[in-house]
Amino acid sequence: PKSIKEQSRPSKAMNNTHSNQSRKATKPRKQQQQKRKRRKQQQQQKIVHKEEEELLESQCNFCGFSDASFIENEENLDLHYWQSCPMLTSCKLCEQVIEIATLHEHILTECESKIKHRLCQKCNIPYSIQDNNNHKCVVDKNNNPNTNICPLCLSDIGESINCWKQHLLKYPGCKSNPRPLMQ
């Protein structure tokens, strides 16, 4: 027979189930904590993603200028494109706003003006067919056919990927750009 002391103690089997239950109880707690942690991380990622989207929406695709008013009203971004973006210009023949880097191509292929143009074989600059005799070729003795020539100032600006941004956005910018850089 068991003594009163032994009878009041829990059996080994009971001890094992109690410890198993406590282990089972801690597993769901850990899983819940991990779920909470994952949810918090996802929420933070959503916030960061939203901030990045807002930054992109508030930024000019061409010059990178950022302004909160672009988000508030899309017309403000259009106004920037139309009037002040230093990477864009209005075609003098058709008034369409285009990238400065593509102005020569625009004049030759898509300009809606009635004036036809031809590409000079020596300097790679378009000229009006009507002004054929008045075209002044801008030939550089070291003229590289792969180099970029600014259609505004007719300077050789190089071949690199960033040459247009360097020429148009780095202060003081292109001296012939009708949209000067702000300091």
Side-chain angles (χ1 to χ4, degrees):
K2 291 185 180 179
S3 69
I4 294 176
K5 206 174 188 183
E6 287 176 332
Q7 288 177 359
S8 65
R9 277 192 224 150
S11 69
K12 287 183 182 179
M14 280 184 83
N15 278 340
N16 285 341
T17 49
H18 179 67
S19 64
N20 283 343
Q21 287 175 350
S22 68
R23 281 188 206 139
K24 287 179 184 176
T26 57
K27 277 186 179 178
R29 274 192 221 133
K30 284 182 182 179
Q31 288 174 346
Q32 288 174 350
Q33 288 173 345
Q34 288 174 344
K35 282 182 183 179
R36 280 190 217 118
K37 190 176 178 180
R38 270 188 253 129
R39 266 192 244 123
K40 190 174 182 180
Q41 287 173 342
Q42 288 172 345
Q43 288 172 343
Q44 288 172 340
Q45 287 174 346
K46 285 180 184 177
I47 291 169
V48 168
H49 183 67
K50 186 177 179 182
E51 288 172 354
E52 287 173 351
E53 278 183 10
E54 286 179 358
L55 178 65
L56 288 175
E57 289 175 10
S58 71
Q59 195 171 36
C60 172
N61 295 333
F62 301 100
C63 69
F65 179 70
S66 188
D67 190 343
S69 71
F70 295 164
I71 294 174
E72 295 167 7
N73 186 348
E74 199 173 303
E75 289 177 12
N76 292 333
L77 181 59
D78 290 340
L79 203 60
H80 169 75
Y81 291 152
W82 186 254
Q83 294 178 345
S84 59
C85 179
M87 294 290 288
L88 303 176
T89 191
S90 294
C91 172
K92 291 180 181 176
L93 302 171
C94 69
E95 298 299 318
Q96 184 177 343
V97 175
I98 55 167
E99 283 184 83
I100 292 171
T102 63
L103 182 60
H104 285 163
E105 181 183 340
H106 164 79
I107 290 171
L108 291 169
T109 60
E110 50 190 54
C111 186
E112 296 174 0
S113 80
K114 303 284 185 217
I115 303 168
K116 298 295 178 197
H117 285 75
R118 188 175 288 149
L119 185 67
C120 175
Q121 298 302 312
K122 293 180 183 175
C123 64
N124 284 335
I125 295 175
Y127 63 92
S128 168
I129 294 173
Q130 296 170 352
D131 294 335
N132 190 13
N133 296 331
N134 295 334
H135 173 66
K136 293 179 181 143
C137 196
V138 190
V139 178
D140 185 1
K141 292 178 183 173
N142 301 322
N143 197 9
N144 179 348
N146 297 326
T147 194
N148 292 301
I149 296 174
C150 176
L152 303 177
C153 68
L154 303 177
S155 297
D156 178 346
I157 60 169
E159 305 174 38
S160 74
I161 296 169
N162 294 322
C163 65
W164 286 106
K165 286 190 177 188
Q166 290 274 331
H167 180 67
L168 297 169
L169 297 179
K170 189 174 179 183
Y171 189 80
C174 176
K175 63 183 179 235
S176 299
N177 194 341
R179 301 174 179 195
L181 289 176
M182 310 267 183
Q183 284 186 354

